[in-house]
């Protein structure tokens, strides 16, 4: 009997974690009855009753594995650490406990996988959220895809089913801040996109806020492309050339037509502030790469675990 692994990260989800468990269990009792189930919950040091509920579920069902982190390490690190314990022939990389990504699609994912597709990726073509957030996400996906050296499918998140050999390729990455959807896309393999509607959260509050979304977006951009630094290089050459041309124009004007030469401080002030702003932007981009490199070479643990349940 083939095994399907489902990975569900969670943080302060006492209202949703049991509903997620029951939804997945129903699938394997009905449409996926011919498969063995492995459901991994990776808890990011929840402060509510989530951990107590997970302990109850793990005590009732040995097919459920639970990882309890020592502190909150962020959603991507916690998810990637949970993936390390997957033993299935196919792995659903991310099944959110709030069920905004529909678990009903998993049997369809499995069917495509059985037909030889190695990466079955869900694409959030419709979203039950505000127009502003939809526009920001649309822009982000297009920017990342345009800058990357490989195709990252637009609107595709971590809600994907991957074959075991794809999982092995993903796990070979030693990244301090893994951008998982980008890692899967960079591995290649035969891929199929399944569109769906991303549903509104029914219970509880989302733990993602604007600063976290911006941090995740910047991580996606800087992890898989050197385009920002390449842009800085070309822009620096272009600005230097413009400044040299302006300096030559000023010198010639002063020598030939001194009465037309620019005078006063307006031009100087404008040039100083403009070039200083450009330099600060470029230094900030360089700082992002330096910070990422520094974190990577320190070789600290991705996640520190406090407890594991039903994991030998």
């Amino acid at each position: 009997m083939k095994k399907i692994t489902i990975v569900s990260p969670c943080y302060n989800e006492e209202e949703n974690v049991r509903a997620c468990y029951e939804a997945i269990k129903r699938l394997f009792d009905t449409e996926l009855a011919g498969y063995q189930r492995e459901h991994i919950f990776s808890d990011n040091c929840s402060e509510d009753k989530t951990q107590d509920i997970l302990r109850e579920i793990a005590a009732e069902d040995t097919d459920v594995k639970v990882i309890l982190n020592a502190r909150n390490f962020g959603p991507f690190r916690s998810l990637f650490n949970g993936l390390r314990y997957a033993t299935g022939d196919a792995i659903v990389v991310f099944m959110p406990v709030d069920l905004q990504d529909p678990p009903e699609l998993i049997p369809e994912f499995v069917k495509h996988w059985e037909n030889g597709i190695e990466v079955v990726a869900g694409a959030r073509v419709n979203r039950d959220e505000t127009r502003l957030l939809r526009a920001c996400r649309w822009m982000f996906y297009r920017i990342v895809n345009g800058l990357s050296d490989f195709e990252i499918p637009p609107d595709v998140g971590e809600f994907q089913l991957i074959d075991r050999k794809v999982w092995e390729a993903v796990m070979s990455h030693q990244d301090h801040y893994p951008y998982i959807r980008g890692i899967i896309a960079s591995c290649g393999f035969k891929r199929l996109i399944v569109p769906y509607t991303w549903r509104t959260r029914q219970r509880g509050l989302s733990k993602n806020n604007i600063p976290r979304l911006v941090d995740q977006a910047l991580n996606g951009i800087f992890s898989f492309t050197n385009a920002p630094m390449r842009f800085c290089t070309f822009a620096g050459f272009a600005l230097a050339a413009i400044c040299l041309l302006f300096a030559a124009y000023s010198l010639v004007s002063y020598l030939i037509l001194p009465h037309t030469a620019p005078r006063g401080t307006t031009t100087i002030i404008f040039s100083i502030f403009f070039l200083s702003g450009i330099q600060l932007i470029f230094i900030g981009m360089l700082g992002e790469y330096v910070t990422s490199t520094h974190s990577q070479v320190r070789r600290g643990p991705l996640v520190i675990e406090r407890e594991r349940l039903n994991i030998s």
Side-chain angles (χ1 to χ4, degrees):
M1 183 180 292
K2 293 181 180 179
K3 181 190 292 186
I4 308 295
T5 299
I6 316 288
V7 183
S8 296
C10 51
Y11 174 66
N12 289 348
E13 294 286 359
E14 62 182 3
E15 298 175 324
N16 293 304
V17 65
R18 184 170 285 278
C20 175
Y21 159 73
E22 292 174 349
I24 296 300
K25 189 174 184 300
R26 279 196 299 271
L27 285 178
F28 281 85
D29 288 340
T30 55
E31 298 178 73
L32 297 176
Y35 297 90
Q36 184 180 352
R37 169 175 53 93
E38 179 182 62
H39 198 169
I40 300 174
F41 288 92
S42 181
D43 181 78
N44 223 352
C45 197
S46 294
E47 299 170 348
D48 59 2
K49 297 179 181 179
T50 300
Q51 295 188 6
D52 295 332
I53 297 172
L54 288 175
R55 286 191 176 92
E56 294 173 2
I57 294 173
E60 299 167 2
D61 191 342
T62 56
D63 290 332
V64 173
K65 299 179 179 180
V66 177
I67 304 161
L68 304 178
N69 295 341
R71 66 171 178 84
N72 190 331
F73 288 89
F76 285 138
R77 294 185 181 93
S78 182
L79 173 58
F80 196 83
N81 185 62
L83 281 171
R84 290 173 168 175
Y85 294 95
T87 61
D89 300 286
I91 298 94
V92 177
V93 175
F94 172 64
M95 181 67 248
V97 295
D98 58 18
L99 303 181
Q100 288 187 271
D101 295 308
E104 301 83 35
L105 277 182
I106 294 178
E108 182 180 349
F109 286 5
V110 172
K111 186 181 299 184
H112 291 305
W113 169 65
E114 290 285 16
N115 290 330
I117 305 298
E118 294 155 321
V119 178
V120 186
R124 301 163 178 169
V125 294
N126 297 306
R127 296 174 180 268
D128 293 337
E129 60 183 4
T130 64
R131 291 184 179 180
L132 177 61
L133 274 176
R134 283 201 301 268
C136 291
R137 293 182 193 275
W138 183 91
M139 185 182 304
F140 163 71
Y141 280 113
R142 272 67 187 177
I143 290 174
V144 172
N145 196 35
L147 295 177
S148 298
D149 298 328
F150 50 88
E151 182 185 3
I152 300 179
D155 304 316
V156 168
E158 278 71 37
F159 184 47
Q160 307 183 42
L161 182 144
I162 59 176
D163 185 79
R164 184 73 187 178
K165 56 177 164 291
V166 182
W167 175 88
E168 292 173 353
V170 170
M171 290 296 103
S172 68
H173 288 73
Q174 302 293 327
D175 199 328
H176 78 286
Y177 191 174
Y179 185 62
I180 300 173
R181 69 190 72 171
I183 292 175
I184 295 173
S186 70
C187 292
F189 294 98
K190 189 182 298 184
R191 180 174 60 205
L192 177 69
I193 307 298
V194 178
Y196 69 95
T197 297
W198 195 58
R199 302 185 296 209
T200 303
R201 171 185 277 262
Q202 300 299 316
R203 295 175 296 274
L205 298 174
S206 174
K207 309 310 178 292
N208 274 328
N209 51 34
I210 296 300
R212 286 180 181 174
L213 291 174
V214 170
D215 179 67
Q216 294 169 17
L218 290 177
N219 178 52
I221 292 173
F222 290 108
S223 292
F224 288 95
T225 177
N226 62 352
M229 289 307 301
R230 189 66 53 82
F231 167 77
C232 292
T233 301
F234 290 138
F237 278 116
L239 287 172
I242 292 172
C243 290
L244 288 174
L245 290 173
F246 182 75
Y249 164 76
S250 300
L251 178 61
V252 171
S253 299
Y254 178 75
L255 294 175
I256 298 177
L257 301 170
H259 61 280
T260 63
R263 301 184 185 279
T265 60
T266 303
T267 303
I268 296 175
I269 292 175
F270 175 80
S271 301
I272 290 175
F273 276 88
F274 176 73
L275 292 176
S276 298
I278 294 295
Q279 289 174 344
L280 289 174
I281 292 173
F282 290 177
I283 291 172
M285 288 188 182
L286 180 61
E288 290 287 342
Y289 283 101
V290 171
T291 301
S292 179
T293 303
H294 178 252
S295 299
Q296 188 73 21
V297 299
R298 289 175 64 189
R299 295 293 182 184
L302 185 69
V303 166
I304 297 175
E305 300 171 359
R306 181 163 54 84
E307 187 178 354
R308 290 182 302 203
L309 305 175
N310 291 342
I311 299 176
S312 59

